Amino acid sequence: DCTFKKSADSDRVALLVRGRKGWGRRFLLDRVCKRMTFTETVDALLALHRAWSPAFVLVEDKANGPAVMNALVDAIPGLIPFNPGQSSKSERVQAGSAPLYAANQQVLPDRSIAPWIDEFETAHTAFTGGNQTTPDDDIDAESQSDLYWNVLSRQVPWLTLPDARLDDPAPAWAHRNGYGRHYVYSP
């Protein structure tokens, strides 16, 4: 979630490192969220990438996100532009992150290793969806990654139920019209 400039009244840049177990459980591993210039954004993204070596990097395809991607195209593999479309931040949260919080599938780090977690949680509890005075940068970055993963989970081909091992406790299964779909399970 990138911004154009660093000023007292500009939005913050939110960079989240997230992991998942299976398709449901999502883990917040690291975070940088502050007002940054373009150069500071590029440097912070490079530092997080070096520290975590993620499989891919989602960059919001708005504001200066395309410029950040252009600057890092030769330095970071797996840069993926993500356009959240015309939906509001509140709609993205309701579709992407809220169901995972309700199911207790969003896992936050302990304060002992993430001193910034209080700020992250405060932003979530104060989020109203339309109040511009409430910082929502973390929330927007989180919901966009949740939406991206939710879309990916629906890309796995459908299997007929006789081929599906429904008694296997490791994978998650969905059912529709006599078909089951196996969501890739990563231990």
Side-chain angles (χ1 to χ4, degrees):
D1 184 16
C2 303
T3 60
F4 278 115
K5 60 184 177 178
K6 176 183 178 180
S7 65
D9 61 341
S10 65
D11 281 341
R12 299 174 306 164
V13 175
L15 306 172
L16 303 180
V17 178
R18 301 192 65 213
R20 70 167 192 231
K21 184 173 183 179
W23 286 104
R25 217 136 187 234
R26 314 284 166 84
F27 297 84
L28 178 60
L29 304 172
D30 206 347
R31 165 194 181 258
V32 174
C33 189
K34 60 184 180 179
R35 290 180 175 88
M36 291 189 263
T37 65
F38 173 81
T39 307
E40 290 169 336
T41 301
V42 168
D43 290 345
L45 189 52
L46 278 170
L48 283 174
H49 192 270
R50 282 189 207 108
W52 291 93
S53 300
F56 62 90
V57 177
L58 282 184
V59 180
E60 185 176 17
D61 199 12
K62 293 186 175 192
N64 74 352
V68 168
M69 289 183 62
N70 188 51
L72 294 173
V73 71
D74 293 327
I76 296 179
L79 288 170
I80 300 171
F82 182 79
N83 187 336
Q86 299 301 315
S87 60
S88 70
K89 290 181 183 185
S90 181
E91 290 169 330
R92 291 193 293 268
V93 167
Q94 290 305 314
S97 301
L100 296 165
Y101 275 103
N104 202 29
Q105 291 176 305
Q106 296 279 27
V107 181
L108 302 178
D110 189 82
R111 284 164 180 71
S112 64
I113 59 169
W116 43 260
I117 198 64
D118 287 332
E119 184 182 27
F120 184 86
E121 289 178 337
T122 299
H124 279 66
T125 56
F127 180 68
T128 61
N131 182 352
Q132 294 301 317
T133 61
T134 303
D136 57 12
D137 312 289
D138 285 322
I139 297 162
D140 200 28
E142 177 185 56
S143 68
Q144 289 183 46
S145 65
D146 285 332
L147 286 170
Y148 184 80
W149 273 332
N150 292 351
V151 167
L152 280 181
S153 71
R154 291 174 180 84
Q155 302 305 311
V156 181
W158 287 92
L159 306 171
T160 59
L161 283 179
D163 297 334
R165 287 190 34 221
L166 299 178
D167 58 338
D168 187 350
W173 288 90
H175 304 282
R176 185 178 76 184
N177 301 330
Y179 291 88
R181 180 173 33 190
H182 179 268
Y183 294 110
V184 178
Y185 176 75
S186 55

